């Protein structure tokens, strides 16, 4: 028996992966604390609970008895403060708790922008279980809603609202959808998909304030250009930021997130940070210092467990990838694709519901990344091509090998290749 007390703040994918791997590798005493819920659930599936496809019980990946069986103690409480000198946590319910080693996996929270009226009932972000519950309450008799922010969470919330027959005005500050990530052609396809679902999307529209009636309940949103959008519910989906406020004014080094090295160690001995709340001091080339996605938390959870159990391991992710669904339009990206669309070639079908973009280095002609919409590509194949630094011509020649669609879903590869090659000539000339 190992008497070390290992405490993990946060029972999201990062904290729970760390706990599971620590248990596999050691006999340390493990406590996981979360203020959100007693049990781990899949945050990415919250929308399906609202839409009625699943119940909360279905999005818990482990049975409730799993934790006791694996000697992982769960505390449903909030850490108010940490005294890093005495290695003690102060909990909201009054208890204090000491640790030998601490993993902070406190995730993200909705980023807001100081608008007036944010406190009105009916205005909220969509991050947590509590957000889901308040969205449920606020939209019970809702006819019109506003969604703010052209990104992945915004489009999910729009889909949730549409599923209940609520009319949605979708306000996007930029001139196109997810403009800092998607090139124009991709953004146009997503816009078409969103509009086809009956959502009114308004680009170049920045929020000024939220206004309410006498009972402090939301009745509308005002934009900076003077328009008003009457609504009973408004979702703020303008990004997330690390949930680290409770750690401010301590010896822990924090920039946007908690600064960590490649072993996920903070500046303080025996204190680690992982998942959405961690910021890498030296991110790998073409990667961001904070990557708030599911698989990053999972990988970090495994790495931190190895490090704590005496197997020094660096966090070294492979190529960037991400996937999402914009209503029914599937999106995948691997490697690096510039949002400007520079140094890339792109095929879009006539109906404008399928797209493949290949990005490459114009000097060496080596493939750098791919975007797809409405087409499923093989992650494994692209990972291999990126690792072996294939040229763009080689990738076009072998493109069928990356087809990951069901058999009946025949992609017109000869047309796609011809189109891609025709765009390549002027670039490489
Ligand atoms: C609606 C939505 C959809 C998403 N969809 C996708 C997707 O499709 N694909 C994808 O890759 N990613 C998606 N993401 C992002 C992904 O869910 C996150 O990157 C991931 O869940 C972060 O995991 P984490 O363990 O770092 O933190 P979290 O899941 O945020 O867990 C942190 C936990 O710590 C708790 N906590 C924080 N501070 C304290 C404290 N002081 N005391 C006690 N407990 C505390 C929090 O309450 C929370 O429960 C989505 C996110 C949202 C909100």
């Amino acid at each position: 028996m190992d008497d070390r007390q290992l405490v993990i703040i946060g029972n999201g994918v990062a904290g729970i992966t760390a706990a599971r791997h620590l248990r596999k590798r050691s006999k340390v005493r493990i406590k996981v604390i979360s203020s959100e819920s007693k049990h781990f659930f899949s945050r990415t599936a919250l929308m399906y609970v609202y839409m009625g496809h699943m119940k909360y019980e279905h999005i818990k990946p482990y049975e409730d008895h799993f934790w006791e069986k694996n000697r992982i103690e769960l505390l449903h409480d909030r850490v108010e403060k940490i005294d890093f000198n005495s290695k003690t946590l102060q909990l909201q319910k009054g208890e204090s708790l000491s640790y030998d080693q601490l993993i902070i996996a406190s995730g993200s929270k909705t980023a807001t922008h100081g608008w007036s009226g944010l406190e009105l009932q009916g205005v909220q972000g969509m991050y947590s279980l509590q957000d889901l519950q308040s969205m449920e309450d606020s939209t019970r008799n809702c006819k019109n809603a506003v969604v703010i922010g052209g990104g992945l969470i915004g489009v999910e919330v729009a889909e949730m609202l549409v599923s209940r027959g609520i009319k949605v005005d979708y306000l996007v500050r930029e001139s196109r959808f997810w403009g800092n990530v998607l090139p124009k052609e991709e953004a146009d396809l997503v816009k078409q998909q969103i509009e086809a679902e009956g959502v009114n999307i308004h680009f170049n529209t920045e929020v000024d304030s939220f206004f309410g009636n006498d009972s402090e309940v939301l009745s509308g949103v005002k934009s900076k250009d003077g328009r008003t959008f009457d609504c009973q519910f408004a979702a703020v989906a303008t990004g997330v930021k690390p949930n680290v406020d409770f750690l401010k004014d301590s010896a822990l080094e924090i920039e946007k997130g908690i600064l960590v090295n490649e072993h996920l160690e903070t500046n303080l001995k025996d204190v680690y940070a992982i998942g959405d709340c961690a910021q890498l001091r030296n991110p790998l080339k073409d990667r961001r210092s904070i990557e708030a996605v599911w698989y990053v938390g999972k990988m970090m959870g495994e790495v931190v467990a190895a490090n704590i159990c005496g197997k020094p391991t660096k966090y070294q992710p492979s190529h960037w990838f991400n996937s999402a669904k914009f209503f029914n339009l599937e999106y995948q990206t691997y490697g690096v694709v510039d949002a400007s669309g520079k140094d890339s070639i792109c095929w879009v079908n006539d109906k404008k519901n399928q797209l493949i973009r290949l990005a490459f280095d114009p000097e060496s002609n080596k493939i750098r990344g791919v975007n797809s919409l409405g087409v499923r590509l093989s992650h494994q194949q692209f990972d291999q091509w990126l690792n072996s630094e294939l040229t763009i011509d080689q990738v076009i020649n072998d493109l069928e090998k990356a087809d990951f669609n069901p058999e009946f879903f025949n992609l017109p590869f000869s047309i796609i290749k011809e189109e891609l090659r025709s765009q390549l000539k002027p670039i490489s000339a």
Side-chain angles (χ1 to χ4, degrees):
M1 184 70 190
D2 183 339
D3 251 4
R4 271 181 303 163
Q5 175 68 73
L6 197 303
V7 174
I8 302 173
I9 304 177
N11 69 351
V13 63
I16 287 302
T17 307
R20 283 180 40 244
H21 284 264
L22 281 162
R23 178 49 71 238
K24 273 191 199 165
R25 290 171 176 273
S26 77
K27 293 191 160 56
V28 288
R29 290 183 292 144
I30 303 172
K31 270 199 170 90
V32 183
I33 310 170
S34 172
S35 50
E36 185 177 8
S37 60
K38 182 164 181 198
H39 297 110
F40 171 49
F41 66 90
S42 170
R43 194 172 300 291
T44 57
L46 277 178
M47 67 182 290
Y48 301 111
V49 175
Y50 182 89
M51 290 165 69
H53 302 181
M54 287 174 157
K55 294 205 156 71
Y56 173 63
E57 290 305 311
H58 302 146
I59 66 168
K60 289 198 287 186
Y62 302 94
E63 302 280 349
D64 291 354
H65 59 77
F66 173 88
W67 309 104
E68 199 183 335
K69 191 171 153 214
N70 287 284
R71 288 173 294 110
I72 296 172
E73 194 184 331
L74 305 178
L75 283 182
H76 190 185
D77 205 337
R78 185 182 158 73
V79 178
E80 296 279 358
K81 233 177 163 34
I82 307 177
D83 182 339
F84 291 104
N85 289 324
S86 65
K87 291 188 157 184
T88 314
L89 311 179
Q90 188 58 51
L91 304 185
Q92 191 177 42
K93 292 180 187 162
E95 200 187 334
S96 65
L97 192 72
S98 53
Y99 64 83
D100 294 302
Q101 281 160 313
L102 177 68
I103 300 175
I104 306 173
S106 54
S108 298
K109 62 181 198 171
T110 300
T112 53
H113 300 270
W115 297 300
S116 74
L118 271 173
E119 71 294 345
L120 292 167
Q121 193 193 316
V123 184
Q124 65 166 84
M126 180 51 235
Y127 189 87
S128 64
L129 260 183
Q130 287 72 21
D131 290 337
L132 184 75
Q133 186 56 52
S134 60
M135 181 167 171
E136 187 67 59
D137 297 341
S138 298
T139 56
R140 205 153 281 142
N141 298 310
C142 174
K143 298 247 176 323
N144 300 285
V146 166
V147 176
I148 301 145
L152 293 180
I153 295 182
V155 78
E156 277 194 6
V157 177
E159 185 173 354
M160 291 158 82
L161 294 161
V162 166
S163 77
R164 299 252 179 128
I166 297 168
K167 184 176 160 294
V168 179
D169 282 298
Y170 192 173
L171 314 189
V172 177
R173 186 180 58 182
E174 293 73 26
S175 57
R176 64 173 195 258
F177 184 80
W178 213 15
N180 60 339
V181 174
L182 295 183
K184 185 172 180 316
E185 289 79 3
E186 281 85 327
D188 286 348
L189 258 67
V190 178
K191 169 182 181 271
Q192 179 182 287
Q193 175 74 31
I194 291 174
E195 286 179 337
E197 300 290 341
V199 172
N200 298 316
I201 189 160
H202 308 268
F203 291 108
N204 301 306
T205 303
E206 208 172 329
V207 170
D208 174 73
S209 53
F210 301 90
F211 56 92
N213 55 24
D214 292 344
S215 59
E216 297 176 351
V217 176
L218 174 76
S219 54
V221 179
K222 202 167 150 197
S223 62
K224 284 207 169 144
D225 57 13
R227 282 177 291 163
T228 55
F229 299 87
D230 292 339
C231 60
Q232 301 80 47
F233 178 77
V236 177
T238 46
V240 296
K241 59 180 185 181
N243 186 3
V244 291
D245 289 350
F246 72 107
L247 300 161
K248 294 241 163 89
D249 305 320
S250 73
L252 194 64
E253 270 189 53
I254 295 177
E255 206 177 79
K256 282 186 187 138
I258 304 165
L259 289 169
V260 291
N261 63 16
E262 69 270 32
H263 290 102
L264 308 174
E265 294 161 329
T266 69
N267 63 311
L268 302 178
K269 191 169 175 305
D270 293 327
V271 182
Y272 301 78
I274 55 173
D276 280 19
C277 69
Q279 177 179 353
L280 291 166
R281 286 179 193 273
N282 300 305
L284 295 177
K285 186 172 172 290
D286 295 326
R287 302 291 296 245
R288 293 177 190 212
S289 59
I290 303 177
E291 293 180 331
V293 289
W294 185 265
Y295 74 88
V296 165
K298 198 159 184 264
M299 284 175 72
M300 286 185 165
E302 287 186 37
V303 168
V304 83
N307 283 319
I308 289 174
C309 295
K311 184 168 183 288
T313 307
K314 288 185 182 174
Y315 171 67
Q316 277 179 321
S318 181
H319 302 283
W320 166 251
F321 74 90
N322 202 3
S323 63
K325 250 176 98 197
F326 305 108
F327 286 87
N328 287 321
L329 187 64
E330 290 186 29
Y331 161 72
Q332 288 172 290
T333 187
Y334 304 118
V336 182
V337 180
D338 201 287
S340 68
K342 107 176 152 42
D343 302 328
S344 71
I345 48 181
C346 173
W347 165 80
V348 183
N349 71 346
D350 291 340
K351 285 190 192 155
K352 300 215 181 305
N353 59 8
Q354 289 180 321
L355 173 151
I356 298 176
R357 177 184 300 277
L358 300 174
F360 59 100
D361 181 327
E363 312 259 295
S364 64
N365 267 338
K366 286 176 184 162
I367 183 82
R368 292 192 74 214
V370 60
N371 279 349
S372 72
L373 283 169
V375 168
R376 261 187 219 169
L377 297 176
S378 155
H379 183 180
Q380 203 184 1
Q381 186 63 75
F382 266 97
D383 220 37
Q384 192 188 318
W385 284 343
L386 288 162
N387 281 337
S388 46
E389 301 190 322
L390 244 59
T391 64
I392 183 77
D393 305 86
Q394 289 170 309
V395 170
I396 297 175
N397 286 342
D398 280 353
L399 202 57
E400 291 92 338
K401 288 190 183 164
D403 185 8
F404 203 63
N405 293 291
E407 269 168 40
F408 55 85
F409 191 98
N410 287 328
L411 277 176
F413 275 105
S414 55
I415 296 173
I416 297 173
K417 288 172 160 192
E418 197 182 325
E419 172 61 30
L420 292 173
R421 286 197 187 103
S422 75
Q423 292 177 27
L424 199 53
K425 276 188 206 133
I427 295 178
S428 49

